[in-house]
Amino acid sequence: MSVSGQVIEALLPAGGRARRGSWRQSHPPTLVAFAVLVVLLALIPLFFVVGYTVDMGWAQLREMVWRPRVGELLVNTTRLTVGCVLASAVIGTGAAWLVERTTLPGKRLWHVLLTAPLAVPAFVNSFGWVSITPKVEGFGGALLIVTLSYYPLVYLPVTASLRGLDPALEETAQSLGLGPWRAFARVVLPQLRPALLGGGLLVGLHLLAEFGALQMLRYPTFTTAIYDQYRSTFSGPAATALAGVLVICCVILLTVELRLRGKQRYARVGRGTARALRPRPLGRLTAPSLLAVLAVVVLAIGVPMGSLVHWLVVGTSTTFPVGDLLVTGGTSVGLAAAAALLTTVLALPVAWLAVRHRSAVTTGLERSTYFGNALPGIVVALALVTVSLKFFSPVYQTVWLLVAAYAIVSLPRAMVSVKAALVQAPPLLEDVAHSLGRGPLETFRRVTVPLIAPGLGVSAALVFLAVVTELTATLLLAPIGTRTLATQFWSNSSSVAYGAAAPYAALMVLISMPATLVLTHATSRRSSAS
Amino acid sequence: MTGLTLRGVSKSFGGTPVLHEIDLEAPARSFTAVLGPSGCGKTTMLRLIAGFLTPDSGTISFDDRVVWGGGRNVPAQKRRVGYVPQEGALFPHLDVAANIGFGLPRATRREGRTVEELLALVGLAPSLRTRMPHELSGGQQQRVALARALAPSPSVVLLDEPFASLDTGLRAGTGRAVAEALREAEATAVLVTHDQGEALSLADQVAVMRDGRLVQADSPRAIYETPADEGVAQFLGASIVVDVSLDAADRHTGRASSPLGPVTLAGANGNTGRARALVRPEQIRLCERGQGVPALVTEVSYYGHDAAVRLTVEGDHRLRVTARVLGLSVPSPGETVGLEVTGGVTVFDPSH
């Protein structure tokens, strides 16, 4: 076989080889048609922003964007984003290093407690603080609270990286004469770069999309301003122009991350066995380290939970709305389950094409579904309101529109888990099943489904968790009369009825806490194993 | 049991030819090893036989049943082919018994007797039946994969470099166990490998592939001793190729002169004149200085049971050769020894 033939064979995934042939064979028409529909749905918000901007014309756009108010929002959004990303990087990396690489006592407990804030939506955290003291309103308070909510997004990937790192690297550096600190700075830290950048990007995107927490702290950013604008003028041009600027901020963030990431290789080169590195003794620094970790945990989990319990006790002295909790809780769970099912079903054909029929076209389809990750929920909601009113008015004010918004926002999470699951179910196993006399359907049922079931479960769970605590899109899109835990909590806390709001927040946290812990545990274990 | 025949099978990927006009015959109950460097197309050939890929042209038949060609394409699941891929590829969600029983009808699966028979056939203890694949060693996984392939009594068993991922020590033992199980099951087997030792020691027939062509197929001994060309000779083991000149008289006596002294010709083709002949390192015998052709020992690699002695032949050619000698009588570097060639040498047909 010639060299180019070898290259071609090496480039093709093992299963792709079997299905190599005509365009029709490599792109099954039904699957492609389905995937294109999914991608069109996912791209609605982007079409909306671009289309609207073009429609508005340059003069009007300038008038809308070139205002002192927009400048103010830009400054507010930027300083909060930069501050929070940096603070999260420091706290996340520091905590991860203490837990993974030192003799800190009680590591397992600290690990669970440090990831726990993921189960508490930022607006509940914010509620916990603001309902005790109004001093947290403004920039300082906002920075503190969003950092405490989002640092786990850095902590988790950095922990996984530290766990997966080849200890031989650090040992080699030390044998070359570097002290422990210099070895950490010159060898370990550069290896953490992808985790830090990825985590930082997630924090930034979450912040640009954050509505509830910042609204409650009266710290205006683009997202809160869009919401206010929408409430006063419905889907007027002002809200849309702001949404355009917000989308540009997201694009800048994505570009910066790509640039910083560069093209270096971080993969482990050798296949040396991963031995556990001897943890670094903290010695006299043990007590201060414990205090630092304790402070983070108390501020991030202790304060909001304490405050929630306080309001629960105070609030229930009047009436505990059991019936209403059940109804709104049921609605939340039902919506979340529907969204989880729908999103996973939507992700499956796109992921299948991308993994099993890899080509420029299928990869392009797959990548297009990730836009939802960068677009804030408020932009997605605004887009769906406008597009549905213009083209599909029967779905406006229905649960379907709300579930579609959930699907667009959470499609990337589902894609990642479904794709990972499919990659782990090698097509070779399907070939073996065929050679043992099993037809395509039986093979799918007896081999493929059992292999990808855990991934589908993780996908559904991730979507479920995101939707149970979703506030922004729900506020804009929920049909009149549909109340979820999040919206009920929001309407009570906006009218400073803290005692009445608390039960809804508590139930939300109760629903999401166990699953969050299980998922974060599974994710950090899996990424350290790979 | 069934024999396997390939006739004029070609295949290309995206315009790049990978297999050219392959003709291969594996008699019923035989063990054929397809030997070739990586990227020569041997795995592609196996996947064509299994039905995971379709050829561009040619026919593939099991006995007289055509499974591909003349408009027929029997799908993989109806070919009754046992397939043992690299590293086993056991179903990770099923235990050993369920893996082995995967291809059996439900009723047979429930009996459970067959699983134990198959475990015994591949030389594994019955207690392993409840283990999960990740709890097995590499060699055990390979044996379970073979048992799984043999369970539905396939007409042909295909093995794709099944031992490549095993340690050297384990490889020989597993290879022998697998070959024995295949013989006992009276299966027609095709093994793909790039390891010449494995091919020569396990198979009844060795087929050498190069650049998508089948160059030569013969018994292990014939292919080692009388390879079709220098490339095949090199690929099957260390070889020394020397120029010999032949005249009609040499043809008659069966002897010729070479830079390594007189040699006996093995086999016969009618050519005369200059030709190239193959000498294997183990054919060179070292003797006392003064006997045979004088040569200077330049380097010795000692392996215990034997040693590789690198020599420079004195005279016009300054030919460098390597001799394989028993560990009992190894000369030292710098020594001058005599050498002579024992056994028959093969003269390559210049038309190749």
Side-chain angles (χ1 to χ4, degrees), chain A residues 3 11 25 45 52 55 74 103 117 153 219 238 264 318 324 326 351 357 407 410 443 450 476-477 510:
Chain A
V3 175
L11 285 176
Q25 259 179 315
Y52 216 96
D55 214 36
L74 195 61
T103 53
L153 295 174
Y219 184 81
Q264 267 147 293
T318 50
D324 200 49
L326 283 178
H357 300 274
S410 44
T443 301
L476 261 70
L477 292 175
L510 273 182

Side-chain angles (χ1 to χ4, degrees), chain A residues 155-186:
Chain A
Y155 170 82
L156 270 179
V158 171
T159 303
S161 280
L162 278 175
R163 238 175 249 183
L165 218 59
D166 191 343
L169 287 175
E170 222 172 323
E171 290 166 355
T172 312
Q174 289 184 19
S175 77
L176 290 170
L178 267 63
W181 290 108
R182 282 175 63 210
F184 182 80
R186 285 184 52 193

Side-chain angles (χ1 to χ4, degrees), chain A residues 1 429 431 434-435 438 446, chain B residues 39 47 77 81 89 93 103 211:
Chain A
M1 184 163 78
L429 293 178
D431 283 347
H434 289 319
S435 79
R438 306 293 136 192
R446 284 180 63 193
Chain B
R47 296 177 64 84
Q77 60 265 32
V81 161
H93 59 297
D211 297 332

Side-chain angles (χ1 to χ4, degrees), chain A residues 67-105:
Chain A
R67 288 184 298 153
R69 172 73 178 147
V70 175
E72 248 169 70
L73 291 174
L74 195 61
V75 170
N76 265 357
T77 309
T78 310
R79 65 177 174 160
L80 188 66
T81 308
V82 171
C84 178
V85 167
L86 291 179
S88 299
V90 171
I91 296 179
T93 312
W97 187 76
L98 280 174
V99 169
E100 277 304 313
R101 280 295 168 92
T102 69
T103 53
L104 189 77

Side-chain angles (χ1 to χ4, degrees), chain A residues 145-490:
Chain A
I145 289 169
V146 289
T147 305
L148 290 174
S149 283
Y150 289 136
Y151 79 86
L153 295 174
V154 175
Y155 170 82
L156 270 179
V158 171
T159 303
S161 280
L162 278 175
R163 238 175 249 183
L165 218 59
D166 191 343
L169 287 175
E170 222 172 323
E171 290 166 355
T172 312
Q174 289 184 19
S175 77
L176 290 170
L178 267 63
W181 290 108
R182 282 175 63 210
F184 182 80
R186 285 184 52 193
V187 175
V188 178
L189 213 50
Q191 297 284 322
L192 296 181
R193 196 164 137 148
L196 265 171
L197 286 172
L201 176 69
L202 272 183
V203 171
L205 289 173
H206 271 83
L207 258 186
L208 289 179
E210 182 56 56
F211 161 71
L214 299 174
Q215 184 82 333
M216 215 175 257
L217 296 169
R218 294 178 211 287
Y219 184 81
T221 63
F222 278 114
T223 301
T224 63
I226 294 170
Y227 181 79
D228 292 341
Q229 198 62 253
Y230 174 80
R231 277 282 172 250
S232 57
T233 63
F234 199 51
S235 73
T240 316
L242 286 177
V245 180
L246 182 56
V247 169
I248 291 171
C249 291
C250 291
V251 171
I252 291 174
L253 204 61
L254 286 167
T255 322
V256 168
E257 197 260 352
L258 270 180
R259 274 287 158 83
L260 287 177
R261 180 164 294 196
K263 282 184 179 140
Q264 267 147 293
R265 275 192 63 187
Y266 297 98
R268 172 183 195 131
V269 182
R271 279 182 69 186
T273 39
R275 287 166 292 113
L277 192 69
R278 201 170 57 88
R280 181 142 300 139
L282 281 174
R284 274 180 303 158
L285 290 174
T286 306
S289 306
L290 276 176
L291 269 180
V293 179
L294 184 69
V296 170
V297 169
V298 165
L299 292 177
I301 278 290
V303 172
M305 288 300 106
S307 155
L308 206 54
V309 169
H310 165 77
W311 287 113
L312 274 178
V313 174
V314 174
T316 47
S317 60
T318 50
T319 47
F320 199 78
V322 179
D324 200 49
L325 267 179
L326 283 178
V327 171
T328 48
T331 309
S332 280
V333 168
L335 280 173
L341 191 70
L342 175 72
T343 313
T344 306
V345 168
L346 291 181
L348 192 55
V350 187
W352 185 279
L353 278 177
V355 173
R356 294 295 165 85
H357 300 274
R358 196 161 152 190
S359 74
V361 175
T362 59
T363 311
L365 285 174
E366 182 221 339
R367 295 286 152 81
S368 318
T369 60
Y370 289 116
F371 275 109
N373 211 10
L375 291 178
I378 193 131
V379 177
V380 174
L382 211 54
L384 286 184
V385 168
T386 314
V387 171
S388 67
L389 279 178
K390 216 167 190 175
F391 301 108
F392 315 96
S393 50
V395 294
Y396 181 64
Q397 279 288 330
T398 63
V399 173
W400 294 111
L401 198 61
L402 184 56
V403 173
Y406 292 151
I408 294 174
V409 173
S410 44
L411 198 54
R413 300 165 193 245
M415 281 293 296
V416 169
S417 355
V418 173
K419 229 185 102 182
L422 278 173
V423 169
Q424 291 192 337
L428 179 64
L429 293 178
E430 286 156 27
D431 283 347
V432 170
H434 289 319
S435 79
L436 290 168
R438 306 293 136 192
L441 277 180
E442 198 187 346
T443 301
F444 186 73
R445 185 173 63 76
R446 284 180 63 193
V447 177
T448 318
V449 168
L451 288 175
I452 65 172
L456 298 184
V458 169
S459 154
L462 282 173
V463 176
F464 182 90
L465 283 174
V467 171
V468 159
T469 56
E470 214 286 334
L471 177 65
T472 331
T474 317
L475 281 177
L476 261 70
L477 292 175
I480 294 161
T482 302
R483 292 175 305 131
T484 69
L485 289 173
T487 59
Q488 199 56 21
F489 165 79
W490 186 251

